[in-house]
Amino acid sequence: MDGQFRAKSAGVSRRAGTALLGALLGGVLLSGCQSAIEQTYEPSVSPSSNPQIVEEVQKDDPRAQVGAREHPRIVASYGGEYQDAKTERLVARIAGALTVVSENPSQSYRITILNSPAINAFALPGGYLYVTRGLLALADDASEVAAVLSHEMGHVTANHGIERQQREEAEVIASRVVSEVLSSDLAGKQALARGKLRLAAFSRNQELQADVIGVRMLGEAGYDPYAAARFLDSMAAYSRFSSVDPDSDQSLDFLSSHPSAPQRVDLARRHARAFGVEGEVGDRGRDYYLAGIDGLLYGDSPQEGYVRGQTFLHGKLGIRFDVPAGFQIDNKAQAVLATGPGEVAVRFDGVADTQKRSLTDYIASGWVTGLQPDTIHAITINGLEAATARASAERWDFDVTVIRIDTQIYRFLTAVPKGSPSLEPTADVLRASFRRMTPQEAAALKPLRIRVVTAKPGDTLATLSARMMGTDRKLDLFRLINAMQVTSTVKPGDKVKIISE
């Protein structure tokens, strides 16, 4: 966080509180996969160990100027680049095999691994490709990552980024929602900071075309052509797992605004059949893939703070707080958000304290819309200077709590439907639990990582998943990251992924 408070994305939305926070949970949607052309292909190229990747896209390509302009925004929005030589070599190897069979051999690609736990991949004009470490953690083998990258390369090949008109609905909605609570100046800045391009919002025909190109590249590069269908299944399963309510609105999910998952899976399998029978054709590349992601950072990074159950902890800032039971915490790009029963929503962030004014004056300085001045009170929270107030806007009541630590002001904004009795109890939990971490607590915090382990005699899904950390649904998440079904088993010598420190 480099001295300035910043948090990074998770990926869970909930119906509760959506009137206030729903628009803030937006992000870049993963492009859908469909195809409409049947052809017969014969794979002729094996995965490359000497990938044809260039450091920069063509400087003379006018399309590359679009990618170059937006690249810094994308990297910043997704927590920067994830830098790990082993993982970078892995992704370069996969992309290199696809580049060899590209429909446009003169097109070069710049591939960036984004330091985000979100599951996403997308492309910018000029050959800028992006894949998140969250997607790499979910994928079970190299062919599944190849399926994602080949689809995105298809968009580049077909110039879809140039043809597409950028969608700004998410930013407009976010501005409107924030302006209900915050004054226009700050609202504008925050809405701008949240504004991510909806890069994958391609038209249906564009998705069809990219899928045709992607499946052909996947098969011709020697990878398992059925990997696209398998990974679509995995993404759909993860989406259901991540949703608090599996039947709730998934409009902000990466599978939204695209063809339904069953249809996409069916089409992907239909095109894969042009290469041969499932299970008998193509390389999955699982062993070298698992070796390449062993140790991959999983979930929140140290710079972003950690979510552990009902607690948010940030070792570098030295702070922690709890949310009430039943709340779901999302560690987002500009704030920590939490949603709970009864449409209760919480936002936590921090700002630099440059003027050193009193906290009561700070609350009254104009950044809160609907502030009730007579409710402003100075308080102390676990030995820290603080202040609270109430506000009201549209159909919401708010508790505003600010706390000073050194040169930083931390802010809680709790929102409930007008008249809800949940406002004070929720705000009380946040205030009572907010405190400095001890040096020992901060030192003990360690990030979670993907660890590849080998099953031993006597190991079962239950014994292996029991070693998982960072989730109370250990067996479910273990099956997801290993692409296992309820009926799956393990035998001695099998390599599997677990999540641990």
Side-chain angles (χ1 to χ4, degrees), residues 8 18 22 24 110 112 133 155 168 174 207 214 218 245 264 306-307 318 337 351 356 364 404 416 451 470 478 489:
K8 191 57 190 154
T18 53
L24 308 186
R110 174 176 179 172
T112 301
R133 59 175 170 82
H155 283 302
E168 299 295 337
E207 293 298 345
L218 184 66
D245 176 6
R264 294 167 66 189
Y306 302 102
V307 175
L337 307 178
V351 294
K356 296 292 183 181
R404 174 181 282 132
V416 302
R451 302 294 185 186
F478 176 81
T489 59

Side-chain angles (χ1 to χ4, degrees), residues 448-485:
L448 299 177
R449 297 184 182 276
I450 293 289
R451 302 294 185 186
V452 178
V453 299
T454 302
K456 299 177 180 179
D459 270 334
T460 64
L461 266 64
T463 63
L464 291 167
S465 63
R467 300 166 60 181
M468 298 270 288
M469 299 177 64
T471 177
D472 56 0
R473 300 165 62 188
K474 295 184 178 184
L475 181 57
D476 290 340
L477 186 56
F478 176 81
R479 286 193 182 117
L480 273 176
I481 64 173
N482 288 287
M484 291 181 172
Q485 308 302 317

Side-chain angles (χ1 to χ4, degrees), residues 145-163:
V145 175
V148 172
L149 291 179
S150 65
H151 179 92
E152 300 307 328
M153 287 178 171
H155 283 302
V156 174
T157 299
N159 287 330
H160 289 163
I162 296 294
E163 297 170 8

Side-chain angles (χ1 to χ4, degrees), residues 195-217:
K196 295 178 182 177
L197 296 178
R198 301 184 64 164
L199 294 170
F202 293 110
S203 73
R204 188 179 185 86
N205 287 338
Q206 288 172 332
E207 293 298 345
L208 296 172
Q209 188 177 7
D211 186 73
V212 171
I213 297 171
V215 170
R216 179 166 64 242
M217 290 175 63

Side-chain angles (χ1 to χ4, degrees), residues 119-445:
I119 296 173
N120 220 332
F122 44 91
L124 286 178
Y128 285 77
L129 299 180
Y130 303 86
V131 60
T132 60
R133 59 175 170 82
L135 187 145
L136 298 178
L138 179 62
D140 195 51
D141 55 46
S143 67
E144 292 185 358
V145 175
V148 172
L149 291 179
S150 65
H151 179 92
E152 300 307 328
M153 287 178 171
H155 283 302
V156 174
T157 299
N159 287 330
H160 289 163
I162 296 294
E163 297 170 8
R164 180 193 59 231
Q165 293 183 348
Q166 295 178 1
R167 296 187 177 183
E168 299 295 337
E169 297 94 330
E171 287 76 12
V172 172
I173 295 172
S175 300
R176 185 183 310 125
V177 172
V178 174
S179 65
E180 293 181 4
V181 185
L182 306 174
S183 64
S184 58
D185 180 58
L186 185 57
K189 291 179 181 178
Q190 292 191 340
L192 178 62
R194 277 192 307 274
K196 295 178 182 177
L197 296 178
R198 301 184 64 164
L199 294 170
F202 293 110
S203 73
R204 188 179 185 86
N205 287 338
Q206 288 172 332
E207 293 298 345
L208 296 172
Q209 188 177 7
D211 186 73
V212 171
I213 297 171
V215 170
R216 179 166 64 242
M217 290 175 63
L218 184 66
E220 289 186 345
Y223 282 114
D224 178 5
Y226 292 88
R230 291 201 315 274
F231 197 55
L232 284 168
D233 278 336
S234 292
M235 287 191 294
Y238 189 84
S239 179
R240 293 190 296 270
F241 172 86
S242 299
S243 176
V244 175
D245 176 6
D247 298 319
S248 67
D249 178 20
Q250 298 289 312
S251 62
L252 296 170
D253 190 78
F254 52 76
L255 293 176
S256 65
S257 69
H258 297 88
S260 65
Q263 182 186 18
R264 294 167 66 189
V265 171
D266 178 69
L267 288 169
R269 284 203 170 93
R270 178 159 56 87
H271 287 280
R273 292 189 193 110
F275 291 92
V277 178
E278 186 169 6
E280 299 180 5
V281 61
D283 177 29
R284 291 194 176 189
R286 190 166 191 267
D287 286 343
Y288 74 79
Y289 184 77
L290 291 180
I293 65 167
D294 191 15
L296 180 75
L297 188 66
Y298 184 87
D300 300 323
S301 71
Q303 291 76 23
E304 298 155 356
Y306 302 102
V307 175
R308 297 288 187 266
Q310 306 303 114
T311 304
F312 175 78
L313 311 98
H314 200 300
K316 292 195 173 183
L317 295 177
I319 60 171
R320 59 172 291 162
F321 65 86
D322 301 329
V323 299
F327 274 63
Q328 179 76 33
I329 302 177
D330 289 344
N331 193 4
K332 308 303 287 187
Q334 277 72 43
V336 179
L337 307 178
T339 51
E343 292 190 292
V344 180
V346 175
R347 176 188 173 96
F348 172 78
D349 65 10
V351 294
D353 179 18
T354 57
Q355 299 186 26
K356 296 292 183 181
R357 72 182 105 177
S358 73
L359 291 182
T360 53
D361 287 346
Y362 173 72
I363 287 182
S365 63
W367 61 278
V368 180
T369 295
L371 181 69
Q372 300 167 3
D374 59 335
T375 65
I376 302 176
H377 297 291
I379 61 172
T380 300
I381 295 177
N382 292 319
L384 301 170
E385 178 189 356
T388 66
R390 294 292 177 86
S392 182
E394 297 295 325
R395 65 183 188 92
W396 299 94
D397 290 332
F398 302 96
D399 178 275
V400 182
T401 298
V402 296
I403 307 159
R404 174 181 282 132
I405 296 182
D406 300 327
T407 59
Q408 196 83 356
I409 293 177
Y410 296 101
R411 310 185 298 189
F412 285 106
L413 181 69
T414 304
V416 302
K418 275 191 179 299
S420 170
S422 300
L423 183 59
E424 191 66 26
T426 302
D428 282 346
V429 170
L430 300 171
R431 285 192 289 261
S433 62
F434 183 90
R435 64 173 175 84
R436 290 180 184 265
M437 297 178 65
T438 66
Q440 293 77 17
E441 286 176 324
L445 273 181

